[in-house]
Amino acid sequence: MSSFTPTADGGPIVVVGSINVDQVMVVERHPAPGETLIARSMEFLPGGKGANQAVAAARLGAHVSLVGATGSDSVAGLTMALLERAGVDLSAVSAIDGPTGLALVTVADDGENTIVVVPGANAAVGADVVGDAADLIARAAVVVLQGEIPAAGIEAAARLATGRVVLNLAPVIAVDPATIRRADPLVVNEHEAALVLALVDPGTDIPRGDAELVARLRAWGVPAVVLTRGEQGAICSDSLGTTTVPSPRVAAVDSSGAGDAFVGALSGRLAAGSSLLDAVRLAVRVGAFAVRTLGTQQSYPGADDELPEVEK
């Protein structure tokens, strides 16, 4: 294993996205439809794809600001704890009357998870809230977006960005095709890639293979695509070519935060000037680190932590 040395002079990152409380339940296996199971444990943890990605990038040394919203309920403070500890700038986080976003997370013994999200305050992160942070977004070297806020907010942030846009369209929601073409890269897993292709090219035949999905998205007009594949790593494709990047082999405890750890690490390296391929090579190692611990933000490595290596 080896640790990662951050680049101190990396450009600023602005993450525009969701802030949730995760209600995490641990079960032996996921229930079948109509089945009731008894969970072994349950706890409330900070989460939300936007907040997770901000923490992941900041813990690796990036300069990160978060644009989003929390509610007025008693759990709103829980969502801020690890963001503050990581040094994320929270000056563009709004307080909205009503509930904070909630994610219901079920984690099975094999590390696989299911997640149901109740948007709460995240539903207010539309064009107006994003517009209030226009100057912050315009100054960013990298703007990071996900699918847990309204499409209007995602589209507004992409229009305001003058730097690189990293679009993790998860979950897949209907956004303006121009926003997807702005993605450099579009980061999706294999299921999301198929949904995005169906969204931008209705009626098309959806290919079964991951590499073909990437090729079809590139051919449609996405400048760069990163397709994450869990323990199999990722496929990275841009104008320099398409490369399969393997992941380190680790014992998985909880995969729920791995994708966000991947995006945060990827964005941090891109802001520091790395190539997309080199950024993906780091990101698969950070994602593998994250699956070894229950929860999301608390499972992410710092700059001094040893990351698992890919076997030669």
Side-chain angles (χ1 to χ4, degrees), residues 248-275:
R249 297 294 182 179
V250 297
V253 173
D254 177 11
S255 63
S256 60
D260 294 333
F262 181 103
V263 172
L266 176 85
S267 302
R269 293 311 300 149
L270 292 176
S274 290
S275 69

Side-chain angles (χ1 to χ4, degrees), residues 13-152:
I13 297 172
V14 173
V15 180
V16 182
S18 56
I19 303 170
N20 291 334
V21 172
D22 290 349
Q23 180 179 321
V24 181
M25 295 163 284
V26 178
V27 296
E28 179 180 358
R29 58 177 175 80
H30 293 297
E35 182 182 15
T36 299
L37 293 180
I38 303 298
R40 286 204 298 269
S41 66
M42 188 278 288
E43 58 183 320
F44 291 97
L45 300 169
K49 294 190 72 64
N52 292 348
Q53 292 170 10
V55 168
R59 282 185 53 80
L60 291 174
H63 306 284
V64 185
S65 299
L66 177 62
V67 178
T70 61
S72 56
D73 49 16
S74 60
V75 299
L78 173 63
T79 66
M80 297 289 103
L82 294 184
L83 286 160
E84 292 172 347
R85 193 180 306 169
V88 176
D89 170 24
L90 301 174
S91 60
V93 174
S94 303
I96 305 294
D97 286 338
T100 298
L102 174 67
L104 305 172
V105 184
T106 304
V107 181
D109 282 348
D110 61 2
E112 288 298 325
N113 64 83
T114 63
I115 304 174
V116 177
V117 175
V118 183
N122 297 310
V125 187
D128 289 344
V129 168
V130 172
D132 289 341
D135 290 344
L136 185 67
I137 294 168
R139 293 195 302 268
V142 175
V143 175
V144 187
L145 308 169
Q146 326 78 32
E148 286 187 345
I149 62 172

Side-chain angles (χ1 to χ4, degrees), residues 163-239:
R164 191 165 194 160
V165 173
V166 175
L167 175 59
N168 175 216
L169 199 55
V172 177
I173 62 174
V175 296
D176 185 341
T179 298
I180 299 175
R181 284 195 171 97
R182 184 78 171 80
D184 186 18
L186 171 69
V187 183
V188 284
N189 64 25
E190 61 270 32
H191 307 295
E192 293 155 356
L195 290 171
V196 173
L197 184 58
L199 177 68
V200 299
D201 192 5
T204 189
D205 292 331
I206 305 300
R208 293 181 179 274
D210 293 345
E212 180 62 20
L213 279 168
V214 170
R216 292 276 292 279
L217 286 167
R218 289 288 319 284
W220 175 79
V222 183
V225 176
V226 175
L227 189 147
T228 58
R229 309 169 76 203
E231 65 180 14
Q232 297 180 55
I235 297 175
C236 170
S237 181
D238 62 8
S239 61

